[in-house]
Amino acid sequence: MGGDLATARAALAAAAAHTEDLLAILPDPPERSTAQRAAAAEAVDATRSLREAFLRTHVDAVHDELTAGRTLHLRLAELADAAAEAFPGLVPSAAQLAGERARTQAEKEGHEIDQGLFFSHLLRSPTAGAHLVEAMLRPTPRALELLPLFTATGRADLGSVQLERTGAVARLTMCGHDRLNAEDNQQIDDMETAVDLALLDPEVEVCLLRGGEMTHPRHRGRRVFSAGINLKALHGGGISLVDFLLRRELGYIHKILRGLLVGDGAGWRPATVEKPWVAAVDGFAIGGGAQLLLVFDHVLAAADSYLSLPAAKEGIVPGASNFRLTRAAGPRLARQVILGGRRVHAHEPQAALFVDEVHESDELDLAIERSLERLRGQAVVANRRMLNLAEEPVDAFRLYMAEFALQQALRLYSADVIHKVGRFTVEQDHRQG
């Protein structure tokens, strides 16, 4: 793997093909004997070690070839697809991923771990990683296609997210009515599209995110912010490392924080379009919902709401919360929330570390409008840019995401997560109630 790129590429492809031949003659993962599981693990681990050695030596050359010398701005999924074609055996092929999608999480081979390894090395590289981070800050094709209609009408129905412009405010409403806004692959796509449209619309000066009214039996007719990751989708194998767990952090959440990259940065004008963001929490912000609050400029909460990050209980890493929460809440409270599963209720003094204002539910609407009005203005935009730069340098975020890409991939396929997620699928509604 340490030789020239062509020799290493051929050697890796041959080793990966040999491992796939072995897996092909074995039963499906749940049906394997102890000996068969050990044989499969030994072969997979050996090939994975070759991938790691290959990337350690050649990651920048691989990235340069895939992006034509960093002239192509490929997003996560595009980069993974291109790598599968150009470097057989480096990341799973389209056929392998299609086969995995047809299985529950417990039945999969775990090919996404190799995607995690790939993106971990890319993000760790100062050149390849910076280029990927910038590529993920660009508008999505879906948003660019919908932009003319949205600017003309001020409305966009994206499925799980409704977007409406009223005056100078873009109002994003999460409307996963029957699942308490629990996130899946589709909602990630809808959220990123909505964020792009809000940032691209020249009439919008400030943006609001809020949960809509639910049809879920336990919360019918009430607003809910977010129940976090959709555990049913995770159990069923429908949560993607690339299209959900990585895209979420590097895509729409990072765009809320950093802005939308619309220029090349070569001139003196800013290359990004940035706007202030307000979040309003009704009911609860669980898991991914609580993670979102850490990048907003102003957060309001109903007095009877709460937030929590139960990812450690579920067995996964709660996005970039481990990176941001210590800065926001301090190391002790961050450990209580992330490691111990502590809920923080809006009426507690500690809630001030997460939210800016707490109001009774019947007073929340007016408080939201006041906060939106305060955050309008170009001086706000310039100052939030400088605050975010000081609090979270881009390279620090990139290096966190490099480690996150691999650690989250490993957690997705760990025995404890597979066991827990089946149980939590049944318990999710009770946990939210």
Side-chain angles (χ1 to χ4, degrees):
M1 295 299 105
D4 65 89
L5 180 60
T7 300
R9 184 191 327 227
L12 178 60
H18 179 75
T19 299
E20 287 306 306
D21 289 343
L22 171 64
L23 296 178
I25 64 174
L26 293 175
D28 287 341
E31 300 169 5
R32 291 171 187 168
S33 67
T34 301
Q36 289 170 334
R37 288 174 184 167
E42 182 179 3
V44 168
D45 288 352
T47 306
R48 193 159 286 150
S49 294
L50 291 179
R51 291 188 182 98
E52 201 281 331
F54 175 86
L55 288 165
R56 194 181 334 119
T57 303
H58 301 292
V59 64
D60 284 326
V62 168
H63 182 259
D64 278 353
E65 180 174 329
L66 298 178
T67 61
R70 301 194 297 280
T71 60
L72 302 177
H73 304 284
L74 302 183
R75 292 172 57 81
L76 289 162
E78 295 170 326
L79 205 51
D81 289 344
E85 288 287 332
F87 296 88
L90 180 58
V91 294
S93 65
Q96 288 173 319
L97 291 174
E100 294 279 78
R101 282 193 295 270
R103 301 177 176 185
T104 67
Q105 197 68 15
E107 295 171 336
K108 295 182 179 183
E109 293 283 4
H111 291 304
E112 285 181 304
I113 294 174
D114 295 315
Q115 290 182 322
L117 183 65
F118 174 65
F119 285 113
S120 180
H121 277 273
L122 281 181
L123 288 164
R124 203 167 279 122
S125 163
T127 52
H131 190 265
L132 175 56
V133 169
E134 288 189 356
M136 290 300 295
L137 288 176
R138 292 176 179 270
T140 63
R142 183 186 179 197
L144 292 174
E145 181 181 350
L146 294 174
L147 182 61
L149 181 61
F150 175 67
T151 55
T153 65
R155 293 178 179 271
D157 182 349
L158 302 170
S160 64
V161 181
Q162 303 288 325
L163 175 62
E164 181 181 11
R165 183 185 65 240
T166 58
V169 180
R171 301 175 189 269
L172 287 72
T173 303
M174 296 178 286
C175 50
H177 307 301
D178 59 341
R179 61 181 186 277
L180 307 178
N181 290 326
E183 291 184 300
D184 55 19
N185 285 9
Q186 185 58 54
Q187 183 157 332
I188 300 305
D189 185 65
D190 294 343
M191 280 291 294
E192 185 165 13
T193 305
V195 168
D196 284 358
L197 290 172
L199 290 171
L200 287 168
D201 186 346
E203 294 189 30
V204 170
E205 296 179 24
V206 60
C207 309
L208 169 70
L209 179 65
R210 195 176 186 184
E213 292 185 1
M214 298 292 105
T215 59
H216 187 284
R218 296 178 67 90
H219 302 273
R220 190 181 304 277
R222 289 183 287 170
R223 287 182 180 269
V224 161
F225 191 71
S226 175
I229 191 170
N230 189 321
L231 294 176
K232 292 180 181 178
L234 178 57
H235 175 65
I239 296 297
S240 164
L241 176 70
V242 169
D243 292 324
F244 183 113
L245 295 164
L246 295 182
R247 177 181 177 180
R248 183 176 186 273
E249 303 301 328
L250 289 161
Y252 86 85
I253 296 180
H254 200 216
K255 287 174 176 177
I256 289 172
L257 177 75
R258 201 75 63 185
L260 196 65
L261 188 61
V262 294
D264 58 12
W268 54 269
R269 291 185 177 88
T272 55
V273 174
E274 301 178 44
K275 292 170 185 177
W277 286 83
V278 174
V281 179
D282 301 272
F284 45 75
I286 298 173
Q291 296 168 28
L292 278 174
L293 305 182
L294 299 175
V295 299
F296 277 75
D297 300 296
H298 198 77
V299 179
L300 303 95
D304 60 353
S305 65
Y306 70 88
L307 61 88
S308 67
L309 284 165
K313 183 179 178 183
E314 294 161 0
I316 58 177
V317 180
S321 297
N322 308 62
F323 176 58
R324 296 180 175 127
L325 188 57
T326 299
R327 183 177 70 236
R332 298 269 51 90
L333 185 56
R335 280 166 170 76
Q336 292 170 26
V337 171
I338 293 176
L339 303 182
R342 174 179 170 178
R343 285 184 178 184
V344 178
H345 294 267
H347 59 75
E348 296 181 61
Q350 289 86 349
L353 299 169
F354 299 89
V355 302
D356 300 288
E357 299 181 44
V358 178
H359 297 274
E360 296 299 328
S361 295
D362 60 355
E363 300 173 351
L364 190 57
D365 287 352
L366 286 176
I368 290 170
E369 298 309 313
R370 289 194 298 268
S371 69
L372 291 169
E373 186 62 32
R374 283 196 302 269
L375 287 178
R376 292 177 62 179
Q378 290 303 307
V380 172
V381 174
N383 280 288
R384 82 180 292 274
R385 177 182 297 142
M386 301 309 293
L387 284 168
N388 289 333
L389 180 63
E391 292 175 358
E392 187 174 307
V394 178
D395 279 346
F397 170 71
R398 172 179 60 80
L399 290 173
Y400 174 89
M401 289 303 301
E403 188 64 23
F404 173 81
L406 180 57
Q407 293 302 320
Q408 190 73 302
L410 292 170
R411 295 309 303 152
L412 276 181
Y413 292 93
S414 61
D416 65 305
V417 168
I418 290 171
H419 171 72
K420 288 176 180 179
V421 77
R423 177 162 52 86
F424 283 132
T425 296
V426 178
E427 296 178 359
Q428 188 172 52
D429 287 348
H430 296 288
R431 177 167 63 82
Q432 294 157 358

